[in-house]
Amino acid sequence: VQLQASGGGLVQAGGSLRLSCIASGSSFIVINHIGWYRQAPGKQRELVADLRKPSGTTNYADSVKGRFTISSDSTKNTVSLQMNSLKPEDTAVYYCSGNVWSMSQGSTDYWGQGTLVTVSS
């Protein structure tokens, strides 16, 4: 099983991007918890938003509340991060990580590769 993050890119301040994290590699996958993290140059990695299943409970960093929305599509084993009103300080490499249950691996924690988000002023 692996997590694949995608959707990063270059956007002007005030713009939007949608990141996707897809869990794949097994015939039957259940996402228990996915978090989106980011790491800006010279800074520590921080949690941006996370989502817990099956409750659907979400949690956001104060810096992104009201601008970012995390959601899931169980049919596609995908957790997305909709980012609106982007600011230059949102520039970072974004990673998804979480706990996924699969027939082959059981309940396991995974990290996806990063996707770069650059917000120009």
Side-chain angles (χ1 to χ4, degrees):
V1 175
Q2 59 182 347
L3 299 180
Q4 295 175 291
S6 63
L10 173 63
V11 64
Q12 288 188 330
S16 299
L17 282 174
R18 186 176 182 86
L19 306 183
S20 293
C21 179
I22 302 174
S24 63
S26 181
S27 59
F28 185 70
I29 291 173
V30 177
I31 295 175
N32 295 317
H33 169 242
I34 290 288
W36 280 99
Y37 297 77
R38 68 185 181 188
Q39 187 166 20
K43 295 188 177 181
Q44 289 188 329
R45 190 173 296 186
E46 62 173 347
L47 177 65
V48 175
D50 69 349
L51 180 147
R52 296 186 179 274
K53 304 292 288 292
S55 66
T57 302
T58 58
N59 177 56
Y60 296 92
D62 288 342
S63 58
V64 307
K65 282 181 181 177
R67 301 189 297 122
F68 290 11
T69 303
I70 189 170
S71 61
S72 69
D73 184 341
S74 297
T75 63
K76 298 179 180 179
N77 293 327
T78 300
V79 175
S80 298
L81 185 68
Q82 178 66 42
M83 305 187 296
N84 298 328
S85 302
L86 283 162
K87 304 175 181 180
E89 51 263 43
D90 294 319
T91 295
V93 178
Y94 284 71
Y95 302 86
C96 61
S97 175
N99 185 273
V100 175
W101 184 91
S102 66
M103 291 285 288
S104 58
Q105 302 291 331
S107 183
T108 306
D109 293 333
Y110 300 92
W111 277 92
Q113 88 290 1
T115 184
L116 177 63
V117 172
T118 303
V119 184
S120 62
S121 56

